[in-house]
Amino acid sequence: MAWVLKMDDATIESGLVHDFDASLSGIGQELGAGAYSMSDVLALPIFKQEKTSLPPENETKNPPFQYVLCAATSPAVKLHDETLTYLNQGQSYEVRMLDNRKPGELPELNNKMVKSTVRVVFHDRRLQYTEHQQLEGWKWNRPGDRLLDIDIPMSVGIVEPKTHPSQLNAAEFLWDMKKRTSVFVQVHCISTEFTPRKHGGEKGVPFRVQIDTFAQGDTGDYTEHLHSASCQIKVFKPKGADRKQKTDREKMEKRTAQEKEKYQPSYDTTILSECSPWPDKAYVSPSQGASPSFSSTPLSTYTPSSVPDSDSSSPNHQADPGSLATSEQLSPTASIQDTQKWLLKNRFNSYARLFSNFSGSDLLKLTREDLVQICGPADGIRLFNALKCRSVRPRLTVYVCQESPVVERHGTNENGENSISPGLHVYHALYLEELTAAELIRKIACVCSLPLGTINQVYRQGPTGILILLSDQMVYNFPDESSFLIGTVKDELGEGLHLILK
């Protein structure tokens, strides 16, 4: 006879709960009610290690300087990417120069000026390597224009702003950190000018606006690097940046909320992020000299050691001996092998394979547009100029005459007797390839047979006979084909000469 135990569902559930409670009844009794606390848990080694790895709040270092570009960032930039700011060509944009030093930080800068250099450069490393060729090509297409300018009337707190003819993409100025300082910059090059034309439109290359700040050293020059920062920009034709910003904003509005989380918000201003200083050997036109210093006297720029030695005042003179090879014109009768040698000698190595079957005649038949399309704007223009051996027009022509030597012109009077007419001054033409005081003085010394080392100061005679110290800016503003009589005055110590341009 089988016995069947019948139990209802409530009885079974009650028993299971009782057994489960009993099995857990001893857990936690060893620690006691007051033994479990978060402070004991946080004292474990793993949490101690994580805590010590965080930098103390007072050790967080802020850069001593901060530069803020007053232009909105694009909303179409992903979270972990660098910001991108759109600018209009030729429009003035404010860059605020901020002193973020803490009390006692860099006390040697108190009550002193610092120098900052602002420049527009390429963002892509590939273009940085060919910066010289790229900017030379731009200069050829836009003669007389600059890539970057300072809007001096709108700027606040800057002193001695300078733009040098040889550095079309840079400008420099002094500023006092105690005062409110804002420099307004204008970028004149657009991003698509450095992009080879492709089917279906062009995509502009990004630039960078970089600011390097220097302190005054023991020699009086601003050479001690303090801080550098930059930001990524793209430059559009007038009002193009506003349209691009609006387009990006409309695209972001169409994205889902989840997709929007992957992108940065658009900020009203752009903070330049810290970076390495720009190399000293930045782009300088081969026909131009070094950047002028802020020295109170230009005497150092007249010394023979700082001026290339040359006896030529011709506009086509090249001081670099290596440049002679590049001036050799390719002959139409040159064979394929001779054409290859010519390309290598003139630094067109990367295109030797492309023109491997071209003779001299074949290469010379290509038009400027053909070469630009094949080699890109920079190298295409350079190759076209090398093939045609185009002469460089002087940037400034000046006529000078030494005051003392006078050529007397002899003639015959009515009686057939020899007579002497009033003195005739003979002028020399000086062709300046760089608009600097040093270049002008070097060529004056050459035509007047004056040792360059004996020239101490050079003045220009101004209104009412006042003497004005010759400077780079003065030479830069000389009208073309200006003429001067050159007077010489001995130095007070009798160790040299002063020149006076009358």
Side-chain angles (χ1 to χ4, degrees):
M1 183 175 180
W3 293 89
V4 179
L5 182 61
K6 292 184 178 180
M7 300 178 65
D8 57 11
D9 293 341
T11 305
I12 294 174
E13 184 177 349
S14 175
L16 288 174
V17 170
H18 176 75
D19 292 341
F20 183 72
D21 288 343
S23 64
L24 299 177
S25 61
I27 295 179
Q29 291 181 358
E30 306 155 351
L31 295 174
Y36 184 81
S37 66
M38 283 301 296
S39 61
D40 293 334
V41 175
L42 292 175
L44 294 172
I46 184 173
F47 291 102
K48 285 184 178 179
Q49 184 178 358
E50 289 185 4
K51 184 177 180 181
T52 54
S53 65
L54 297 174
E57 191 172 336
N58 56 3
E59 288 185 8
T60 304
K61 283 193 173 183
N62 291 322
F65 300 92
Q66 192 174 56
Y67 319 119
V68 180
L69 173 63
C70 295
T73 61
S74 167
V77 177
K78 292 190 176 180
L79 279 176
H80 301 292
D81 291 344
E82 185 182 9
T83 60
L84 177 60
T85 304
Y86 302 131
L87 303 183
N88 288 315
Q89 179 189 24
Q91 182 173 329
S92 296
Y93 289 92
E94 179 185 8
V95 180
R96 295 172 186 166
M97 314 292 290
L98 305 177
D99 177 14
N100 279 355
R101 291 179 303 155
K102 296 178 181 178
E105 185 179 6
L106 299 174
E108 64 274 13
L109 299 181
N110 294 337
N111 303 318
K112 290 187 177 181
M113 308 282 280
V114 295
K115 184 189 85 171
S116 288
T117 301
V118 56
R119 49 172 56 90
V120 57
V121 296
F122 291 111
H123 171 76
D124 293 340
R125 186 63 57 87
R126 176 182 60 85
L127 292 173
Q128 289 177 13
Y129 290 140
T130 59
E131 181 185 79
H132 174 80
Q133 290 88 345
Q134 298 288 342
L135 298 187
E136 279 295 301
W138 186 90
K139 176 183 173 183
W140 197 90
N141 278 322
R142 303 267 298 272
D145 289 351
R146 293 184 54 82
L147 285 87
L148 179 76
D149 266 323
I150 293 180
D151 191 339
I152 297 177
M154 294 189 67
S155 300
V156 178
I158 66 172
V159 181
E160 296 186 34
K162 293 185 180 181
T163 55
H164 198 274
S166 67
Q167 296 177 323
L168 303 180
N169 62 330
E172 57 186 34
F173 54 91
L174 300 178
W175 58 288
D176 187 346
M177 295 176 291
K178 287 186 175 181
K179 299 179 181 178
R180 175 183 167 237
T181 303
S182 288
V183 57
F184 281 76
V185 297
Q186 300 170 333
V187 182
H188 299 292
C189 56
I190 58 177
S191 294
T192 52
E193 289 182 281
F194 299 94
T195 306
R197 295 184 178 274
K198 298 177 181 178
H199 179 71
E202 296 178 351
K203 185 177 181 181
V205 301
F207 301 123
R208 301 196 70 81
V209 170
Q210 175 155 340
I211 300 178
D212 302 290
T213 299
F214 302 87
Q216 197 170 20
D218 297 333
T219 60
D221 296 328
Y222 289 85
T223 54
E224 294 186 7
H225 178 258
L226 294 173
H227 184 255
S228 295
S230 65
C231 67
Q232 185 182 192
I233 64 168
K234 276 192 176 183
V235 186
F236 297 81
K237 291 182 178 179
K239 297 186 178 180
D242 306 321
R243 291 193 292 268
K244 177 61 174 172
Q245 187 80 356
K246 181 181 177 182
T247 302
D248 284 1
R249 188 167 57 248
E250 291 173 348
K251 285 182 179 178
M252 292 306 300
E253 289 173 354
K254 295 178 182 178
R255 295 182 182 271
T256 64
Q258 188 176 3
E259 289 176 331
K260 289 180 182 178
E261 292 178 356
K262 300 177 182 178
Y263 291 84
Q264 303 179 22
S266 176
Y267 299 99
D268 293 337
T269 58
T270 306
I271 298 177
L272 278 65
S273 55
E274 286 191 278
C275 63
S276 302
W278 195 252
D280 292 335
K281 294 182 179 179
Y283 163 73
V284 177
S285 175
S287 62
Q288 305 298 336
S291 174
S293 66
F294 284 93
S295 174
S296 58
T297 172
L299 180 61
S300 61
T301 62
Y302 305 156
T303 58
S305 60
S306 64
V307 182
D309 185 18
S310 170
D311 294 333
S312 173
S313 58
S314 164
N316 300 325
H317 170 69
Q318 298 290 337
D320 181 10
S323 65
L324 297 177
T326 62
S327 63
E328 295 177 2
Q329 190 168 11
L330 180 66
S331 171
T333 60
S335 64
I336 293 176
Q337 292 77 12
D338 292 336
T339 303
Q340 288 290 301
K341 291 178 182 178
W342 184 90
L343 288 169
L344 296 175
K345 183 183 287 187
N346 287 269
R347 297 179 291 112
F348 294 104
N349 313 44
S350 55
Y351 302 103
R353 172 180 279 184
L354 185 63
F355 297 114
S356 58
N357 295 321
F358 280 63
S359 65
S361 176
D362 295 331
L363 203 55
L364 287 166
K365 287 177 182 177
L366 296 176
T367 65
R368 179 175 179 272
E369 289 72 22
D370 294 335
L371 294 171
V372 168
Q373 188 173 6
I374 295 170
C375 307
D379 285 340
I381 293 169
R382 190 167 68 89
L383 179 53
F384 177 77
N385 291 340
L387 288 170
K388 304 302 180 184
C389 272
R390 299 174 64 92
S391 61
V392 180
R393 185 176 180 272
R395 302 194 61 181
L396 179 67
T397 301
V398 177
Y399 304 116
V400 298
C401 173
Q402 200 166 0
E403 194 171 31
S404 50
V406 175
V407 176
E408 294 182 342
R409 183 166 49 188
H410 294 260
T412 305
N413 58 20
E414 296 177 355
N415 300 325
E417 299 175 350
N418 290 335
S419 63
I420 299 177
S421 63
L424 177 68
H425 291 89
V426 178
Y427 284 78
H428 296 273
L430 305 182
Y431 302 101
L432 301 188
E433 299 166 8
E434 55 177 285
L435 304 182
T436 63
E439 172 77 350
L440 177 59
I441 293 164
R442 178 175 65 82
K443 294 196 172 182
I444 289 175
C446 177
V447 298
C448 295
S449 301
L450 297 172
L452 192 59
T454 63
I455 301 175
N456 291 340
Q457 298 286 6
V458 180
Y459 305 95
R460 181 182 180 184
Q461 186 170 296
T464 68
I466 64 173
L467 299 182
I468 307 167
L469 189 65
L470 189 70
S471 64
D472 290 344
Q473 192 169 7
M474 184 186 295
V475 175
Y476 183 79
N477 288 284
F478 277 168
D480 196 26
E481 297 194 332
S482 299
S483 59
F484 299 101
L485 279 174
I486 302 174
T488 56
V489 179
K490 286 189 176 181
D491 183 73
E492 295 80 3
L493 302 177
E495 298 178 353
L497 297 173
H498 299 313
L499 301 186
I500 302 175
L501 305 181
K502 301 179 182 180

